[in-house]
Amino acid sequence: MLTAALPLSAAAITAAHALRPFLLQSAEDYTQEAMRADDHASSLDAIATDEDLETRSVRMLRQNTRLELRRGATGRHIGFRPERGSLSLWPWSDPQHTRPALHNYFLLKNSDSPGWYVYNRLQYEQRLLNIAVWSLAGTVLLISSLAAGVTWVVAGRVLRPVEAIRSRFAELTAHDLDHRVPVPGTNDEISRLARTMNHTLDQLQDTVDQQRRFVADASHELRTPLAALRAELEIALTQPSKADWPSVVRGALGDTERLQHLVTGLLLLARLDFEGRDQAQTQSVDLAALVQEEVAGRRRLAHLTLTVALPAEPVMITGHPAILRRVVGNLLDNAERHAAASITITLTLDEGRANALLAVHDDGSGIPQEDQERVFERFTRLDESRTRDSGGVGLGLAIARHITTLHEGSIAITDSDAGARFLVRLPLRDAGRAR
């Protein structure tokens, strides 16, 4: 309201100040015209006596109630001598106490005759100015009130969707994320804000659901080897003299190793989720040398043949060598669990020589088409691998995808004649050096 009232008030005050001199000039003109209303007024010497003057003046003043006539002092000058009065801008001014605009009108027969004073007390003009000031004040108040009312209504309509969004958003909790804020059908900033909030809530709900599944799966996976370990030990203790203690120890050691792999994988996933791309450090890594080191450090299985085909020149990429080596190790672990007789590792460049292509191929039973994407989810194991002897915990491929994604790469299962072929694509640090 003040935003409209201040400029309107300034304009009203300016208008009132401009009107005041106009009314004063109008009063002066009116007084002079009234004195000349009589046909003989143009020739002042034609009035011979004071009686004639008084008779004419009284007749004139009866027709002009805005003027007064008073006997004055003697004088020799004949004509008007205006003394300008004042008009008050204060709207409560009483016109009866207004200072007059004084006009000395000397009508003389000889030098000894007194003159007559004609007064215009400006009562009519003061009333006009009072009315104008009150009208301007009322107009300012009316327009300001209308502006405030319109602003209130418009702001209410604009902010009503915001309040609806706020109230719905306040109802959301970590245990109830399936609600969404209402989206206005106005296609403006507020509707875009609501859509953005709903999209963020969708992502948040997906993350929370994923974390809940992760916690549930992790609890289940941790409970299984612990229960098996406890069962083995309890059975052995019921008849300690008949227990095959070396076999019991070997079984307990296997369960302990499985627990160790599971906890290590969980810790790594938690660290990757928390630190994100900070893990993908900007360090030059020779992928060919990294693969060679991982292969050389692994224990060879007697029933498997491992073939490695690496380029002679370095294959330089950017990343964290320790976690990149974990990708190679997890793919080899998976291949060793499912291969029948052979595993093949190849490292090449794509046709544009912009990406390194690492392929790990085993000759096992392969992965069905409908499961080729699901195997990269956490704690996903196909039916044939859900045994204690397989050693898998369902985190290796999920970790491998997470790491390659952090390094702006990808991992997928590609077509092969037999078994499963995993293909990792990582961008080269410098295509010129890779050549």
Side-chain angles (χ1 to χ4, degrees):
M1 183 174 180
L2 289 177
T3 305
L6 290 178
L8 288 175
S9 300
I13 294 173
T14 303
H17 276 283
L19 182 61
R20 181 166 57 178
F22 172 79
L23 290 176
L24 288 173
Q25 183 63 43
S26 176
E28 182 177 339
D29 294 341
Y30 176 82
T31 303
Q32 294 180 7
E33 291 296 330
M35 293 300 298
R36 293 185 177 92
D38 193 279
D39 293 335
H40 300 286
S42 59
S43 178
L44 301 179
D45 293 334
I47 303 175
T49 65
D50 290 343
E51 290 77 7
D52 294 336
L53 172 62
E54 184 173 1
T55 300
R56 186 184 71 84
S57 299
V58 170
R59 184 176 66 249
M60 182 268 295
L61 291 174
R62 285 176 179 176
Q63 300 173 356
N64 297 276
T65 57
R66 291 161 56 182
L67 305 178
E68 294 183 13
L69 183 68
R70 298 178 184 177
R71 174 74 69 175
T74 60
R76 301 183 60 83
H77 180 71
I78 299 177
F80 289 107
R81 184 166 60 87
E83 179 182 341
R84 187 177 296 277
S86 63
L87 294 174
S88 175
L89 292 177
W90 188 247
W92 286 278
S93 299
D94 185 2
Q96 298 296 329
H97 298 87
T98 304
R99 178 187 173 191
L102 176 62
H103 292 267
N104 292 344
Y105 190 84
F106 297 99
L107 295 175
L108 303 178
K109 178 180 179 181
N110 53 57
S111 60
D112 297 329
S113 299
W116 293 84
Y117 290 103
V118 178
Y119 290 90
N120 186 338
R121 297 193 61 84
L122 302 178
Q123 296 177 1
Y124 175 77
E125 286 74 12
Q126 184 63 56
R127 291 191 183 94
L128 289 181
L129 186 58
N130 289 351
I131 293 173
V133 172
W134 278 117
S135 300
L136 289 172
T139 302
V140 170
L141 181 61
L142 177 62
I143 296 178
S144 299
S145 300
L146 288 176
V150 171
T151 303
W152 178 268
V153 173
V154 173
R157 294 187 61 182
V158 171
L159 296 178
R160 192 176 298 116
V162 178
E163 175 60 22
I165 293 173
R166 185 207 64 79
S167 60
R168 181 62 63 86
F169 194 79
E171 297 174 357
L172 297 175
T173 63
H175 302 286
D176 186 17
L177 292 174
D178 56 342
H179 295 293
R180 296 295 178 267
V181 299
V183 180
T186 53
N187 195 26
D188 55 6
E189 290 79 3
I190 297 178
S191 63
R192 289 193 290 271
L193 172 63
R195 285 193 291 268
T196 301
M197 292 181 67
N198 285 336
H199 178 67
T200 303
L201 289 174
D202 290 338
Q203 294 179 328
L204 179 60
Q205 184 177 11
D206 292 340
T207 302
V208 171
D209 291 342
Q210 184 179 5
Q211 292 297 327
R212 288 173 179 171
R213 290 192 300 269
F214 178 77
V215 172
D217 292 339
S219 301
H220 175 74
E221 294 294 333
L222 287 171
R223 183 177 57 188
T224 301
L226 286 174
L229 177 60
R230 179 176 178 177
E232 288 180 352
L233 295 176
E234 287 178 347
I235 292 173
L237 289 175
T238 56
Q239 296 179 345
S241 59
K242 297 181 179 181
D244 185 1
W245 288 106
S247 177
V248 172
V249 172
R250 283 193 297 270
L253 180 60
D255 289 331
T256 304
E257 290 177 350
R258 186 163 182 264
L259 280 173
Q260 182 182 3
H261 291 315
L262 179 59
V263 172
T264 302
L266 291 174
L267 290 176
L268 179 58
L269 282 174
R271 189 179 66 179
L272 293 176
D273 288 338
F274 178 74
E275 297 181 2
R277 293 189 179 274
D278 293 339
Q279 286 290 325
Q281 298 178 0
T282 55
Q283 179 178 350
S284 297
V285 178
D286 182 1
L287 185 57
L290 187 144
V291 172
Q292 186 65 46
E293 292 175 2
E294 176 63 24
V295 172
R298 298 181 68 86
R299 181 174 59 88
R300 298 295 181 93
L301 300 179
H303 70 285
L304 293 179
T305 301
L306 179 61
T307 303
V308 181
L310 303 176
E313 67 275 10
V315 179
M316 303 304 297
I317 62 174
T318 301
H320 193 291
I323 61 176
L324 284 172
R325 185 168 177 174
R326 187 62 181 267
V327 174
V328 181
N330 287 356
L331 291 178
L332 285 176
D333 289 340
N334 181 77
E336 290 176 352
R337 284 194 296 271
H338 299 285
S342 64
I343 300 174
T344 303
I345 302 176
T346 58
L347 179 60
T348 59
L349 303 180
D350 62 1
E351 294 181 358
R353 303 183 68 82
N355 296 282
L357 304 179
L358 175 64
V360 179
H361 185 200
D362 65 76
D363 62 348
S365 59
I367 299 175
Q369 184 72 29
E370 62 272 14
D371 295 326
Q372 290 185 359
E373 187 64 26
R374 190 169 65 90
V375 295
F376 292 103
E377 298 177 1
R378 298 176 182 183
F379 298 109
T380 297
R381 288 178 294 169
L382 302 184
D383 292 337
E384 64 172 350
S385 65
R386 293 184 180 274
T387 63
R388 287 182 55 201
D389 296 336
S390 64
V393 296
L395 292 178
L397 295 180
I399 293 174
R401 167 162 284 187
H402 203 333
I403 294 174
T404 54
T405 301
L406 291 178
H407 287 78
E408 301 180 354
S410 62
I411 181 172
I413 300 174
T414 60
D415 296 334
S416 61
D417 296 336
R421 182 174 183 268
F422 289 83
L423 181 64
V424 177
R425 183 185 299 268
L426 292 170
L428 295 176
R429 185 183 66 83
D430 189 335
R433 290 185 60 183
R435 295 177 184 177

